[in-house]
Amino acid sequence: KWNEIADEFGGVENLTHQQAQACALKFLSQCFMEDGTPEDIELPLEIAEGTTYQYATVAALTLRYFGIPARYAEGYIITEEMASGYESGDTIAVDSSCARAWVEIYQDGIGWIPMDLTPGMSEIMENSENGNSQNGNGTSNKDITEKKEEEEKKEEQEQLEPTGGSMVRVLIKSVLTGLLIILLLLIIIFVVLIIRRRKLLKQKEKKFQNENRSDAVAWIYADIAVLLEKLGFNRGNGSMRMLIDPLKEKFGEDFAAQFERVSDLNDEAIFSSRIMDEEQRDTVLRFRRWTLRNLNSEVKWYKRMWLKWVLCLY
């Protein structure tokens, strides 16, 4: 009987998705009639007549035969009438009279969808005869008996937009929205870092150009100490002059000698009452720039990014 129905469309192997649905619905409507029993189909309905288990079993077999993924499912059904006398949170007792069976079809991008094929098939078939049939996810399809050109157009559209295509579009849209939010957050973070860095560097430059050159020299030297620490030269609680020999070994005698010179200027700026001149401040500033060049050549790029944009040392 399945083959006879499929032969109207050129055989089971040639069925489109809509034609397969139509064949399944046609067979089930003939097999489980609203009134009476089918005359030309022999099924053991007398042993399970009127049960949802019989309907669901035959429906699953039929859908599978026509290439539609289907599975048998069973459980309990609670109607509105049964629940009408209960309050929210109450327990409703069920027995074998509530037991039901149904068939589920698989929809790409959605999953398993319950499809109640127990009596009520006539309504589905009536819609099919009027020009529309219902597919597994409730959307409307053109009547399979329409003109050949319209059918081919429908098949082409189905190939371009496979079942579940709308779900894919929703997923893509969600991913793009998420990426856009992440990009926006990164831009905001980057802008905040730029504003913060400019503000801190402006404050630092103001200290370096202080009218009181002794204070300026002390601020510059303190900044040099931080840069040297990031280069791995940490004096701990000792004197800064402890770093002269390690600096000589790492960067040469000229760098170590200049470091000793700016250390003397720092001591003079802090402990002497003599007014520092502009040349002395420039000497300390030049050594700071020299230290920065060494830092940029010795420190890994990712650490430099941290020192520059997060710690704002330069």
Side-chain angles (χ1 to χ4, degrees):
K1 188 62 179 181
W2 285 332
N3 289 333
E4 289 178 8
I5 295 175
D7 287 342
E8 298 178 13
F9 304 99
V12 175
E13 298 80 6
N14 302 318
L15 293 178
T16 66
H17 188 70
Q18 289 76 19
Q19 290 171 347
Q21 292 175 347
C23 288
L25 291 174
K26 183 175 182 180
F27 174 80
L28 292 171
S29 66
Q30 293 177 358
C31 182
F32 302 112
M33 303 174 63
E34 293 293 329
D35 298 317
T37 58
E39 297 178 357
D40 56 344
I41 302 178
E42 293 184 3
L43 291 173
L45 296 180
E46 63 276 3
I47 63 174
E49 187 173 357
T51 65
T52 57
Y53 308 103
Q54 182 76 11
Y55 294 129
T57 300
V58 177
L61 292 172
T62 302
L63 289 165
R64 289 181 179 182
Y65 186 80
F66 289 119
I68 301 173
R71 68 182 183 185
Y72 174 93
E74 61 183 24
Y76 292 89
I77 301 295
I78 299 176
T79 64
E80 292 185 7
E81 294 179 354
M82 293 175 60
S84 61
Y86 291 86
E87 298 294 335
S88 177
D90 290 349
T91 300
I92 301 178
V94 296
D95 54 25
S96 60
S97 64
C98 301
R100 296 289 189 278
W102 60 91
V103 67
E104 296 178 345
I105 61 173
Y106 188 80
Q107 181 83 16
D108 288 340
I110 298 177
W112 289 100
I113 304 173
M115 184 176 178
D116 190 356
L117 290 175
T118 56
M121 288 291 300
S122 59
E123 181 180 352
I124 297 176
M125 293 307 298
E126 181 180 353
N127 291 335
S128 177
E129 291 170 1
N130 288 336
N132 292 307
S133 62
Q134 296 293 322
N135 62 17
N137 62 359
T139 58
S140 167
N141 299 307
K142 288 185 178 298
D143 195 318
I144 52 150
T145 59
E146 288 182 344
K147 296 178 181 179
K148 183 68 175 180
E149 295 179 359
E150 295 183 6
E151 185 177 296
E152 291 177 353
K153 182 179 179 181
K154 184 68 176 181
E155 291 179 30
E156 181 180 354
Q157 182 179 355
E158 189 180 53
Q159 292 176 357
L160 295 176
E161 184 178 329
T163 305
S166 59
M167 294 297 295
V168 174
R169 288 198 300 272
V170 171
L171 179 60
I172 293 175
K173 185 177 180 180
S174 299
V175 172
L176 292 177
T177 301
L179 292 176
L180 183 61
I181 293 175
I182 293 174
L183 179 62
L184 183 61
L185 290 176
L186 290 176
I187 293 175
I188 293 174
I189 292 173
F190 185 68
V191 171
V192 170
L193 288 176
I194 291 177
I195 296 174
R196 176 176 175 270
R197 180 172 177 271
R198 287 184 177 179
K199 181 179 179 180
L200 293 178
L201 291 183
K202 186 176 181 180
Q203 293 174 352
K204 183 180 292 189
E205 185 65 22
K206 185 177 181 180
K207 293 176 180 178
F208 291 175
Q209 299 300 327
N210 196 318
E211 293 182 359
N212 186 330
R213 287 187 285 271
S214 295
D215 289 346
V217 168
W219 280 114
I220 299 169
Y221 188 80
D223 193 71
I224 292 172
V226 174
L227 296 177
L228 290 175
E229 180 182 348
K230 301 306 178 184
L231 273 166
F233 299 96
N234 194 342
R235 64 185 175 88
N237 295 324
S239 170
M240 289 292 291
R241 285 177 169 78
M242 294 173 54
L243 302 178
I244 293 176
D245 289 338
L247 290 173
K248 182 188 297 184
E249 182 179 349
K250 179 69 175 180
F251 299 117
E253 293 186 1
D254 291 344
F255 187 83
Q258 191 65 15
F259 173 71
E260 187 173 9
R261 167 64 179 154
V262 297
S263 297
D264 292 338
L265 291 175
N266 179 65
D267 292 342
E268 185 177 344
I270 295 176
F271 302 111
S272 173
S273 59
R274 191 172 71 85
I275 300 176
M276 308 289 291
D277 58 32
E278 191 65 31
E279 183 179 352
Q280 291 171 318
R281 173 163 52 188
D282 289 342
T283 298
V284 183
L285 278 173
R286 284 195 297 272
F287 183 77
R288 179 181 180 274
R289 289 194 289 269
W290 193 354
T291 305
L292 273 176
R293 288 196 297 271
N294 287 332
L295 184 141
N296 284 321
S297 62
E298 294 292 329
V299 175
K300 298 292 185 181
W301 68 269
Y302 53 85
K303 189 175 181 180
R304 291 201 306 270
M305 294 288 288
W306 178 264
L307 297 177
K308 183 174 182 178
W309 293 99
V310 179
L311 299 183
C312 302
L313 295 183
Y314 63 98

